[in-house]
Amino acid sequence: MSLKDVLLPFLAWGKVFKNPVTIKDPFNDRPGSARYRGFHKNDIEACIGCGACEEICQNAAIDMVPVKGIETKDGDSGLRPMVDYGRCCWCALCVDVCSTNSLNLSNEYTWVENDPDKFRYIPGVDKKDWDNNELGWKKPENYDLNEPFRIQMEELKPEKRDSSFIEFVKGYSKEQAEAEADRCIDCGLCTATCPAHMAIPEYIKAIRNDDLEEGLRIMYETNPLPEICGRICTHKCETVCAMGHKGDALSIRWLKRYIADQIPESKYKDILNQGNDISPKSKKIAIIGSGPAGLSAAYYLTNLGYKTKIFEALPEAGGMMRYGIPEYRLPYDQIDKDVKYILSLGVEIEYNIKIGKDISLEELGKEYDAVFAGTGLHLGRSTRIPGAEHENVYFATDLLREISLGNDIHVGNKIVVIGGGNVAMDITRSLVRLQNQKNIKVDVTATSLESEDIMPADREEIDESREEKAIIDPGWGPKEIEIKDGKIKGLRTIKCLSVFDDEGRFNPKFDEKDKKFFEADMVVESIGQGMDLTYISEDIKTMVKFSDRGRIIVNKDFQSSLDWFFVGGDIIEGPDVIHGIANGHKAAKGIDKFLNK
Amino acid sequence: MLKFEQDRSKFPEEKDGKLEIDLDSQKFIKIWQGPNHPGITGNMALELTVSGDEVVESKTHVGYLHRGFEKLMERRKFIQCFPICIRMCVPEPDINEYCLAASVEDLAGIEVPDMAKWLRTLVLEMARLVILLRGVPGQGGTMSLGMGVQWGVYVRDLMIDRFEELTGGRVYHMYIAPGGVRGLLPEGFKGRMEEVLKKIDEFVVDIDNLMFSNAVFKKRTKGIGVIKPEWIEQYSVVGPNARAAGINRDVRKDYPYLMYDKLDFESYVGKDSDIYTRSRVRWHDLQTSVDMIRQIMAKMPNKGDIRAKTPNVLHWKIPKGETYQRLESSRGEYGFYMVTDGSAYPRRINLRGPSYNSAVLLLEKMLVNANISDVSSMMVSLATCPPEIER
Ligand SMILES: Cc1cc2nc3c(=O)[nH]c(=O)nc-3n(C[C@H](O)[C@H](O)[C@H](O)COP(=O)(O)OP(=O)(O)OC[C@H]3O[C@@H](n4cnc5c(N)ncnc54)[C@H](O)[C@@H]3O)c2cc1C
Ligand code: SF4
Ligand code: SF4
Ligand code: SF4
């Protein structure tokens, strides 16, 4: 110890002459930093009510609640997060996980209130001073708590696929499927939008748990055609998937396929525990058409214990799935797998029977306790332009059916397809394959009224067609098929300026002066299909109510105004496979209800 | 059992290895220091039995802030644990974030990007400063030298400002999350950090004058509260407490983690093992951290990934396994022992911190014969974080 030790501490007195720092601060307004984790704010329009924020909050500070003025719609649960500041610890995990980036924290941190209940509030709905604060915590850049982008599906290269009808989408491996399944946030927005309301997050979870049998059970609860839907479903679910806001939607369709692909049909009965304990009821049901609607109705009715019999006009089951959709997208053995299982449960089927011709609807009505019709849209629609009656002008669906039946079809050297939908792409790509197989230089052009941005075909269909060297030249209105010396010379078109009017009605506008001539020796029309309801006799027609537009009017059970006559599928809703499946399922329940009244 | 070196006549009899304290004899009284007492570290209590002004027995009582953090985490997904674990040491929360993240990453086989490692190292040293800036002058505070604490709290606040701009939080930073960290340095951060470091440099000198060159402080800390060398192994004494006794223990050197092997530093080692030396070791540690932060800011890249790809945190399952991940906290080795069972929840997380050994084993032993006026200084000199004992 020295004198220094007594004197040095007195240097502290030097601080007396410095400005005090702690005295003023409590009275100064001090904004939180740019990243401050203060009170919540939510862009209520951008939020989709997916509930990921609620799910991640370890304090259970978030409840998803309905909000006035926000409707439940496709891709939006209509719920919004309510935060309870009695629980929140401002960790901002909810912000980091938010699917839409709508949820943020402001840099505001003082809030005085007498009523404790006020601290439970709905950000963005209950207006707050900090709603427009730009500063505060946002999800950091390049920081994601779940993978925004999907596992890319492997496909055959264009040069490997353009001359063959073998399936070109390879399917996920176990690792790929599990990684893709891992991205799901279990929100269920997809389930709400799926026409069959499939329990998507549950079967995706089964993939994560590597419990594919459970996955199969979950799928069959609402969809007895998983191999088919796993390949060609229109996947409305994916258009609303919450992850789509962050990056890519989940590949829900490919995941469905993954489950079904891994399990042989021979194991289905055991896994689904079906076929043994189905108690047969005395009532019988006839089903017209073996498309998805008919098959689905047959499956669910059989499981309810009814004897069901399908009458099919064509030589094999599947409807448009077999006779429309090309094999390279949906191989026949996959259709067979799904159909075989349904038939193995005791569903009877008779092929080459056309109701209305071989057997009348009245007869069916008498012999059976109820009838379900899912007869689809099989009539081609013509543009009715001059020249359309030429023998080398075809309907797309007719050609596709012939290809499926294994018949040789006429393949031109220069082909023009009129139409911009998926069916047009299917026939375009099928014709490319046939030209390659016949050693004809590929020359298929598809043209549509719609410009490319509003073409109804899926983006990937357009891109893949081009990869296969088809020409897609949209935005032209067909005027005339030019014929010289009995031979087709080509298609005359004029520029289509717009397809719909201001009210959204189909009302195309053209520029007559802007012309284009597509040289061709074969023309295919693919502008939609119509229904053939001639099997409904005039007598029955008087008992069945039709809408102004010629559709049969049905109730929620898909029951027509003639009580034993149920209808579904393309002739009511859709047109796609999953609507058919959903209709068939609902009709099966409706028939059960009707027969047990 | 206890060995008394001085006149033991007024001390309780020992019977079957236990002290026989007869309060009715009027020779002893019990005094509770804490749980609410300005001289206590956090919510902890010492049940002192004194004879005159001399302590004859001390029992440490904890449990005043028990919230069952370890148990709570068993019911939380891995990502949900990080806002909880921080509460096991309020003044230095980041060490928990790191131990949790490192355990999860080790068991899941995830390698964190370098950028995140630099930022983690930075944040851990910042956290050390935050606790030491109050802790070092706090030693003076136990003998009413409050001024240093005021100064310390001021510079500490400046460091907390840096935390706020980097992490969005002042006390709980929730910045080191399993997989990485939650943000790059904001624009101009390094410049503002350097200003704070300069202030700390000044503070270091001020505190040297005010406290370490202070006759009263020296008198009350030198030769008092000695941890005997043989206790070091016996009671697993770690960190500054061990280093003050001449035993160089520093996880940053002994088992380098993050970017510590890329930094140039020496841990300060003392010899007298008394309150003064321990305090002095911490004062040196403070300067080491300042120097490290300067090195980190000079060496770290400006850009880079801050998060490794992990499975979706909402259902992140971690393979069955167990791990022990440790770091050098301001109080020495601090670690998480984590057991996983392949599910989305930890089966068990056990925190092993130095506070239990300090505040229970060492302190109870050390306080025997102590003068009651030295109890606070001795306790503070061991540096204890009570929630770490009763997690
Ligand atoms: C080229 C093309 C591609 C398509 N691609 C897809 C796709 O990728 N994804 C998708 O979801 N949907 C697609 N669709 C639509 C889908 O195929 C249909 O929406 C679906 O098959 C309709 O199902 P359905 O049960 O209503 O009728 P259909 O599948 O059309 O089945 C009706 C069945 O009834 C039979 N039938 C009709 N009348 C009688 C009668 N009087 N007596 C006995 N039997 C009769 C028919 O022979 C047919 O088998 C495509 C359609 C086409 C044409
Ligand atoms: S900040 Fe954290 S505690 Fe608060 S609501 Fe969000 S997730 Fe829950
Ligand atoms: S995570 Fe985002 S989008 Fe989803 S409900 Fe919460 S705030 Fe809305
Ligand atoms: S698939 Fe998409 S929409 Fe469906 S539950 Fe998962 S994240 Fe939600």
Side-chain angles (χ1 to χ4, degrees):
Chain A
M1 216 97 34
S2 64
L3 188 62
K4 230 173 87 192
D5 290 343
V6 179
L7 296 179
L8 274 178
F10 286 97
L11 284 177
W13 281 98
K15 302 269 182 205
V16 169
F17 305 103
K18 297 216 160 159
N19 273 337
V21 282
T22 48
I23 299 173
K24 295 178 296 195
D25 269 5
F27 304 103
N28 289 344
D29 222 14
R30 181 189 174 285
S33 68
R35 288 185 192 169
Y36 195 82
R37 296 194 308 267
F39 303 131
H40 289 70
K41 48 188 192 156
N42 194 6
D43 177 347
I44 223 69
E45 297 304 323
C47 171
I48 52 171
C50 69
C53 48
E54 180 190 38
E55 177 71 15
I56 204 167
C57 179
Q58 58 98 6
N59 289 315
I62 294 185
D63 274 320
M64 299 299 295
V65 294
V67 163
K68 228 173 112 197
I70 293 188
E71 299 299 324
T72 305
K73 54 177 190 276
D74 279 347
D76 183 351
S77 71
L79 305 176
R80 292 296 179 265
M82 177 173 75
V83 185
D84 181 351
Y85 281 161
R87 290 176 158 271
C88 175
C89 71
W90 286 275
C91 64
L93 274 176
C94 50
V95 173
D96 289 0
V97 83
C98 174
S99 307
T100 59
N101 279 340
S102 66
L103 193 65
N104 291 297
L105 301 183
S106 70
N107 67 337
E108 187 56 54
Y109 57 90
T110 45
W111 180 6
V112 183
E113 205 86 62
N114 291 328
D115 175 5
D117 283 336
K118 292 259 169 63
F119 294 109
R120 200 185 291 121
Y121 82 116
I122 309 174
V125 174
D126 302 330
K127 294 286 165 242
K128 295 288 171 225
D129 299 342
W130 53 84
D131 282 346
N132 296 321
N133 274 17
E134 275 305 311
L135 300 181
W137 184 265
K138 295 179 183 63
K139 183 179 77 98
E141 264 175 59
N142 297 323
Y143 186 92
D144 281 293
L145 297 179
N146 39 23
E147 174 56 48
F149 301 106
R150 64 166 60 176
I151 303 285
Q152 287 306 318
M153 174 56 77
E154 281 170 45
E155 295 180 355
L156 287 183
K157 297 242 149 23
E159 58 278 13
K160 285 249 159 54
R161 65 176 192 241
D162 65 3
S163 58
S164 137
F165 280 79
I166 60 167
E167 184 172 26
F168 68 94
V169 173
K170 290 189 176 167
Y172 278 147
S173 67
K174 182 170 190 292
E175 290 69 33
Q176 289 174 320
E178 284 173 5
E180 182 64 12
D182 185 61
R183 300 173 53 230
C184 173
I185 59 165
D186 297 338
C187 67
L189 287 174
C190 46
T191 297
T193 292
C194 169
H197 303 305
M198 294 193 72
I200 296 164
E202 277 77 39
Y203 70 70
I204 290 183
K205 184 173 170 193
I207 297 179
R208 286 201 300 272
N209 294 340
D210 196 18
D211 187 356
L212 302 186
E213 300 192 352
E214 176 65 10
L216 193 79
R217 279 189 287 273
I218 294 168
M219 293 198 299
Y220 266 85
E221 276 168 23
T222 44
N223 184 341
L225 302 173
E227 286 286 15
I228 294 171
C229 286
R231 289 175 163 77
I232 53 79
C233 185
T234 42
H235 55 78
K236 310 231 177 310
C237 51
E238 293 183 20
T239 58
V240 300
C241 173
M243 288 304 287
H245 295 269
K246 256 198 170 167
D248 299 330
L250 260 93
S251 296
I252 301 174
R253 179 171 54 159
W254 303 143
L255 290 176
K256 185 170 22 246
R257 166 177 168 179
Y258 168 75
I259 298 178
D261 273 358
Q262 310 314 308
I263 306 176
E265 189 263 321
S266 56
K267 285 201 179 162
Y268 277 21
K269 259 191 198 159
D270 280 345
I271 294 169
L272 301 174
N273 191 21
Q274 284 171 345
N276 319 315
D277 62 342
I278 296 176
S279 56
K281 298 191 170 121
S282 55
K283 306 243 167 82
K284 297 189 299 178
I285 292 114
I287 290 170
I288 314 176
S290 65
L295 288 170
S296 161
Y299 173 81
Y300 290 107
L301 284 165
T302 306
N303 278 310
L304 287 167
Y306 295 101
K307 277 212 85 53
T308 46
K309 180 162 180 180
I310 304 178
F311 297 91
E312 169 55 57
L314 287 161
E316 281 186 88
M320 270 307 182
M321 305 185 297
R322 184 185 298 270
Y323 294 105
I325 303 174
E327 193 186 357
Y328 61 82
R329 286 207 289 129
L330 177 58
Y332 301 131
D333 56 349
Q334 301 305 332
I335 305 178
D336 293 343
K337 181 176 174 189
D338 283 346
V339 171
K340 191 170 164 216
Y341 180 64
I342 295 174
L343 298 185
S344 77
L345 298 174
V347 174
E348 269 186 73
I349 186 160
E350 206 170 331
Y351 297 110
N352 303 313
I353 299 282
K354 193 163 174 129
I355 303 300
K357 190 168 138 241
D358 304 312
I359 307 176
S360 73
L361 186 56
E362 277 92 343
E363 281 173 273
L364 280 189
K366 279 200 198 91
E367 199 180 324
Y368 291 85
D369 298 286
V371 175
F372 174 80
T375 48
L377 310 175
H378 287 250
L379 294 182
R381 247 192 232 141
S382 173
T383 54
R384 300 216 183 91
I385 53 174
E389 62 296 331
H390 190 278
E391 60 169 352
N392 287 342
V393 178
Y394 302 87
F395 290 136
T397 41
D398 288 348
L399 292 179
L400 289 166
R401 179 170 58 248
E402 290 305 309
I403 296 172
S404 297
L405 285 166
N407 298 335
D408 212 15
I409 64 161
H410 170 78
V411 180
N413 291 322
K414 270 184 176 309
I415 308 172
V416 172
V417 175
I418 306 173
N422 283 327
V423 177
M425 296 303 115
D426 281 343
I427 190 61
T428 300
R429 298 175 70 183
S430 294
L431 288 167
V432 165
R433 282 164 173 72
L434 290 172
Q435 282 188 328
N436 275 321
Q437 283 179 358
K438 290 180 192 278
N439 290 323
I440 303 172
K441 188 171 173 296
V442 171
D443 192 342
V444 187
T445 305
T447 179
S448 61
L449 277 182
E450 297 90 352
S451 53
E452 184 150 343
D453 50 327
I454 55 162
M455 261 173 82
D458 292 344
R459 185 72 243 169
E460 62 207 47
E461 285 289 331
I462 300 172
D463 294 342
E464 286 166 2
S465 304
R466 285 190 174 134
E467 283 167 17
E468 291 163 9
K469 300 205 187 68
I471 296 163
I472 313 291
D473 191 350
W476 301 98
K479 210 47 193 160
E480 181 189 353
I481 297 170
E482 192 179 302
I483 296 168
K484 215 171 177 187
D485 304 330
K487 289 216 166 66
I488 295 180
K489 289 283 149 207
L491 177 71
R492 285 194 185 288
T493 64
I494 46 174
K495 187 84 214 161
C496 179
L497 298 173
S498 67
V499 183
F500 301 100
D501 61 19
D502 291 345
E503 272 129 59
R505 274 182 307 229
F506 181 75
N507 185 10
K509 300 253 175 329
F510 298 100
D511 177 0
E512 301 274 350
K513 280 188 230 105
D514 190 355
K515 297 180 186 159
K516 183 154 188 173
F517 182 68
F518 293 91
E519 239 181 83
D521 59 7
M522 170 174 173
V523 176
V524 181
E525 291 178 302
S526 179
I527 58 159
Q529 291 89 243
M531 56 184 108
D532 175 5
L533 295 181
T534 50
Y535 60 92
I536 307 182
S537 66
E538 291 307 316
D539 259 6
I540 292 188
K541 271 198 182 131
T542 58
M543 289 179 273
V544 175
K545 276 205 195 106
F546 287 83
S547 72
D548 299 343
R549 305 181 70 203
R551 290 214 174 198
I552 301 173
I553 296 174
V554 289
N555 63 16
K556 283 208 297 283
D557 293 333
F558 290 83
Q559 184 178 30
S560 74
S561 21
L562 180 59
D563 61 3
W564 53 265
F565 187 48
F566 291 72
V567 269
D570 276 2
I571 49 178
I572 300 296
E573 251 190 330
D576 63 9
V577 171
I578 193 68
H579 273 98
I581 292 170
N583 292 179
H585 191 175
K586 284 197 193 126
K589 290 191 205 155
I591 290 170
D592 187 44
K593 201 160 94 186
F594 163 64
L595 294 179
N596 287 307
K597 245 217 283 254
Chain B
M1 209 31 218
L2 304 171
K3 279 262 184 326
F4 304 119
E5 281 137 18
Q6 294 143 17
D7 170 23
R8 296 296 87 198
S9 57
K10 60 180 176 182
F11 272 70
E13 295 289 321
E14 203 185 318
K15 212 175 175 186
D16 302 333
K18 273 194 179 144
L19 291 181
E20 286 231 305
I21 296 170
D22 178 11
L23 290 177
D24 289 338
S25 73
Q26 313 234 328
K27 280 201 224 163
F28 317 107
I29 51 168
K30 275 198 192 282
I31 297 180
W32 282 78
Q33 176 153 324
N36 281 320
H37 185 282
I40 205 91
T41 352
N43 300 353
M44 188 179 94
L46 301 179
E47 181 191 356
L48 303 170
T49 308
V50 292
S51 170
D53 58 1
E54 201 170 347
V55 177
V56 294
E57 192 188 42
S58 168
K59 287 246 173 312
T60 304
H61 292 268
V62 292
Y64 301 98
L65 21 82
H66 178 71
R67 282 188 275 170
F69 300 118
E70 290 182 349
K71 201 75 198 160
L72 282 176
M73 289 194 279
E74 289 169 23
R75 304 281 185 280
R76 298 289 189 286
K77 294 170 183 173
F78 291 98
I79 194 76
Q80 294 178 321
C81 293
F82 93 96
I84 297 186
C85 70
I86 45 177
R87 282 149 231 279
M88 295 194 289
C89 180
V90 189
E92 199 182 8
D94 312 72
I95 54 176
N96 297 290
E97 296 179 12
Y98 170 74
C99 289
L100 179 89
S103 305
V104 167
E105 288 149 11
D106 182 52
L107 290 169
I110 284 171
E111 180 67 22
V112 174
D114 276 0
M115 187 68 207
K117 286 189 189 161
W118 278 114
L119 287 162
R120 284 180 174 187
T121 317
L122 173 70
V123 157
L124 289 173
E125 290 310 316
M126 285 166 67
R128 192 186 316 276
L129 285 179
V130 166
I131 189 168
L132 289 180
L133 284 172
R134 200 181 53 182
V136 171
Q139 189 63 61
T142 61
M143 41 200 85
S144 297
L145 189 54
M147 205 184 307
V149 182
Q150 304 291 337
W151 299 344
V153 164
Y154 166 58
V155 263
R156 170 180 172 272
D157 231 52
L158 298 178
M159 186 53 79
I160 287 179
D161 287 347
R162 301 291 75 76
F163 261 119
E164 183 188 325
E165 59 167 319
L166 174 60
T167 71
R170 294 180 67 80
V171 174
Y172 289 135
H173 311 125
M174 307 191 229
Y175 176 72
I176 303 177
V181 294
R182 295 172 88 192
L184 288 167
L185 296 185
E187 278 282 302
F189 179 88
K190 290 184 181 175
R192 290 187 293 277
M193 176 60 101
E194 182 51 40
E195 280 169 31
V196 179
L197 296 181
K198 287 207 182 96
K199 285 256 187 336
I200 298 178
D201 290 342
E202 286 171 26
F203 167 78
V204 164
V205 176
D206 286 346
I207 259 325
D208 193 27
N209 290 333
L210 181 78
M211 219 169 88
F212 294 106
S213 312
N214 184 321
V216 180
F217 183 80
K218 283 184 169 172
K219 198 121 190 94
R220 293 202 54 189
T221 54
K222 286 203 167 204
I224 296 179
V226 173
I227 299 177
K228 295 190 182 143
E230 62 268 27
W231 293 353
I232 301 288
E233 282 301 320
Q234 196 183 354
Y235 294 104
S236 305
V237 180
V238 289
N241 293 351
R243 273 183 263 134
I247 312 259
N248 194 355
R249 283 191 173 165
D250 187 334
V251 184
R252 293 174 295 182
K253 273 262 183 256
D254 304 340
Y255 309 95
Y257 51 101
L258 294 173
M259 291 304 188
Y260 285 106
D261 55 358
K262 300 203 166 46
L263 301 177
D264 184 18
F265 70 101
E266 287 306 325
S267 339
Y268 178 81
V269 182
K271 126 169 149 286
D272 294 344
S273 198
D274 53 9
I275 299 178
Y276 187 89
T277 320
R278 286 198 287 277
S279 209
R280 197 72 181 162
V281 168
R282 294 200 174 87
W283 178 74
H284 278 285
D285 279 3
L286 210 153
Q287 297 171 63
T288 313
S289 285
V290 169
D291 183 49
M292 276 189 188
I293 291 181
R294 289 200 169 107
Q295 289 185 45
I296 294 169
M297 291 198 308
K299 287 184 180 169
M300 71 186 285
N302 289 323
K303 279 201 175 68
D305 287 341
I306 52 169
R307 188 165 198 278
K309 273 206 190 313
T310 68
N312 186 344
V313 298
L314 292 174
H315 32 247
W316 186 0
K317 288 186 183 163
I318 292 191
K320 206 172 145 127
E322 51 186 284
T323 187
Y324 174 67
Q325 295 293 323
R326 58 181 145 197
L327 49 57
E328 181 73 10
S329 73
S330 66
R331 301 178 295 288
E333 175 169 339
Y334 189 97
F336 275 27
Y337 172 62
M338 186 188 284
V339 182
T340 48
D341 57 7
S343 73
Y345 304 87
R347 176 65 196 86
R348 179 81 169 91
I349 294 176
N350 178 248
L351 156 64
R352 195 278 176 210
S355 291
Y356 177 81
N357 303 43
S358 299
V360 183
L361 305 178
L362 267 185
L363 192 59
E364 285 185 357
K365 199 169 165 69
M366 223 176 180
L367 286 179
V368 174
N369 289 156
N371 189 290
I372 192 162
S373 62
D374 290 331
V375 170
S376 294
S377 325
M378 286 163 85
M379 179 186 62
V380 166
S381 78
L382 295 175
T384 300
C385 205
E388 179 198 313
I389 307 175
E390 50 188 77
R391 68 284 160 187

